[in-house]
């Protein structure tokens, strides 16, 4: 599959398609990510969210996109009993926990309309795809990110995979990890997958059990000791296949 | 007793059992093949999956009565677990009676359900879609042609360079 790779939001986007992509489509996708970054990055002094944090802008004067995203984040805060939150401990609105997924979702909408065949969009380890066949997704080992701990297959209507690790402190997980080193959520929607993966790492097994009953998700979690658990909907990839990815030693 | 407290108790009871059961499962994996082919012999004997681990958990108080196998069994692959559905013994806990069923498919445990669980007021509660332990797939690490993409905790632009996703991207 042709693969296009570009940097945005402090990470890397890999876009794989069945057929070669027109540059204009790649640019469109890239601009989508860049636009979210310019608007929501607290690392940029001139972003809308930074101006809000600095008091130069009032919430009522923010853009529709901003308020819609904030409202979505508040709903997810309610759905996760506050384990996912769009606020930093100091009260500053921080939407970094949802913006990447929102950008992926928007980019997916573009790809759904602009691309005819299958596509896989991976932004920093969060994945959205349109695939006509079950697709194998490797899950990184939280203790050795260059390796995978297992692999699962994703099939329609599921099309989004997001993982969150307890090492992501300072980003958007403020809770204390409770026996889950990494949570992977498979959902129909990338925002749901991303937010709930974040919440599960913070909320532990108890929240995982609740969320798998209340939301249309499948989940795979890896404990600090490396033990893997998965909900019944998770289909592990057949480990018997061969060839493809270079040996770890060849990854340099 | 309100519903939330009841459910909480039920969850706690099941958690105790499942934790014990996981520990038992982990410990018994190497021995499972022996058990299946050696001592039990027959197809679909369920005791190894259910009762042994309950005993291992130490939380069952000995009321176990039923020990049945439902569904058909077929040869599993590799792990020594035979495909099929297995129901463990009923166990009395201070939170009520618990009975757990597992489904084994392709040699891996694919489902765990509390098939009969009552709280202290003898009301039954059913729980499904819980996460169950699965086996690690170390073999995939070096050979993953069919892996189309990789998901993991977010990597930075710098981290990407040494990531498996980067290797995948370069391989195409």
């Amino acid at each position: 599959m042709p693969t296009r790779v570009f940097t945005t939001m402090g990470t890397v986007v890999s876009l794989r398609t069945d057929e070669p992509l027109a540059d204009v489509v790649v640019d469109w996708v890239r601009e989508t990510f860049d636009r979210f970054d310019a608007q929501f990055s607290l690392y940029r002094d001139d972003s809308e969210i930074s101006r809000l944090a600095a008091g130069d802008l009032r919430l009522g004067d923010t853009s529709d996109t901003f308020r819609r995203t904030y409202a979505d984040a508040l709903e997810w805060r309610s759905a996760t009993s506050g384990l996912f939150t769009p606020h930093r401990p100091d009260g500053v609105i921080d939407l970094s926990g949802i913006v990447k997924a929102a950008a992926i979702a928007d980019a997916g909408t573009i790809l759904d309309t602009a691309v005819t065949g299958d596509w896989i969009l991976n932004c920093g380890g969060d994945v959205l795809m349109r695939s006509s066949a079950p697709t194998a997704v490797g899950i990184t080992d939280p203790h050795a990110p260059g390796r995978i701990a297992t692999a699962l297959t994703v099939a329609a209507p599921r099309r989004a995979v997001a993982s969150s690790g307890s090492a992501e402190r300072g980003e958007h997980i403020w809770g204390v990890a409770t026996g889950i080193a990494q949570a992977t959520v498979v959902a129909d929607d990338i925002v749901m997958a991303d937010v709930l993966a974040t919440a599960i790492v913070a909320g532990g097994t108890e929240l995982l059990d609740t969320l798998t009953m209340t939301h249309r998700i499948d989940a795979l979690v890896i404990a600090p000791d490396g033990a893997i658990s998965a909900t019944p909907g998770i289909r592990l990839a057949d480990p018997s296949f061969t060839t493809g990815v270079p040996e770890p030693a060849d990854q340099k | 007793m309100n519903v939330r407290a009841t459910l909480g108790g039920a969850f706690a009871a099941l958690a105790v059992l499942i934790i014990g059961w996981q520990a038992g499962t982990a410990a018994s994996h190497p021995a499972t093949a022996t058990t299946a082919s050696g001592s039990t012999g027959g197809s679909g004997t369920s005791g190894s999956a259910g009762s042994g681990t309950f005993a291992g958990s130490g939380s069952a108080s000995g009321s176990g009565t039923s020990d049945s196998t439902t569904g058909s069994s077929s040869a599993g692959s590799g792990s020594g677990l035979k495909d099929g559905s297995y129901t463990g013994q009923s166990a009395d806990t201070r939170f009520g009676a618990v009975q757990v069923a597992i489904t084994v498919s392709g040699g891996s445990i694919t489902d765990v359900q509390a098939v009969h669980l009552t709280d202290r007021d003898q009301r039954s509660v059913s729980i499904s879609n819980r996460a169950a332990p699965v086996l690690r797939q170390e073999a995939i690490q070096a050979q993953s042609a069919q892996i189309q993409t990789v998901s993991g905790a977010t990597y930075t632009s710098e981290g990407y360079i040494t990531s498996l996703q980067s290797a995948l991207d370069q391989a195409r």
Side-chain angles (χ1 to χ4, degrees), chain A residues 18 27 64-65 73 75 79 85 98 141 161 173-174 180-181 207 225:
Chain A
D18 266 351
D27 290 343
D64 287 347
T65 308
E75 284 187 21
T85 176
I98 196 171
D141 184 337
V161 185
I173 299 175
W174 304 109
I180 294 180
L207 182 74
D225 67 359

Side-chain angles (χ1 to χ4, degrees), chain A residues 205 209 229-230, chain B residues 10-26 49 53-54 56-59 91 93 98-102 109 111-115 117 127-133:
Chain A
T205 307
D209 291 339
S229 299
Chain B
F11 276 126
L14 190 62
V16 166
L17 284 172
I18 287 186
I19 289 165
W21 177 76
Q22 278 180 296
T25 302
T53 48
F54 278 131
S57 75
S59 60
T93 75
V98 181
Q99 190 175 30
V100 175
I102 66 170
I109 296 166
D111 194 10
V112 176
Q113 290 203 333
V115 290
L117 190 154
I127 299 168
S128 63
N129 208 27
R130 301 179 65 98

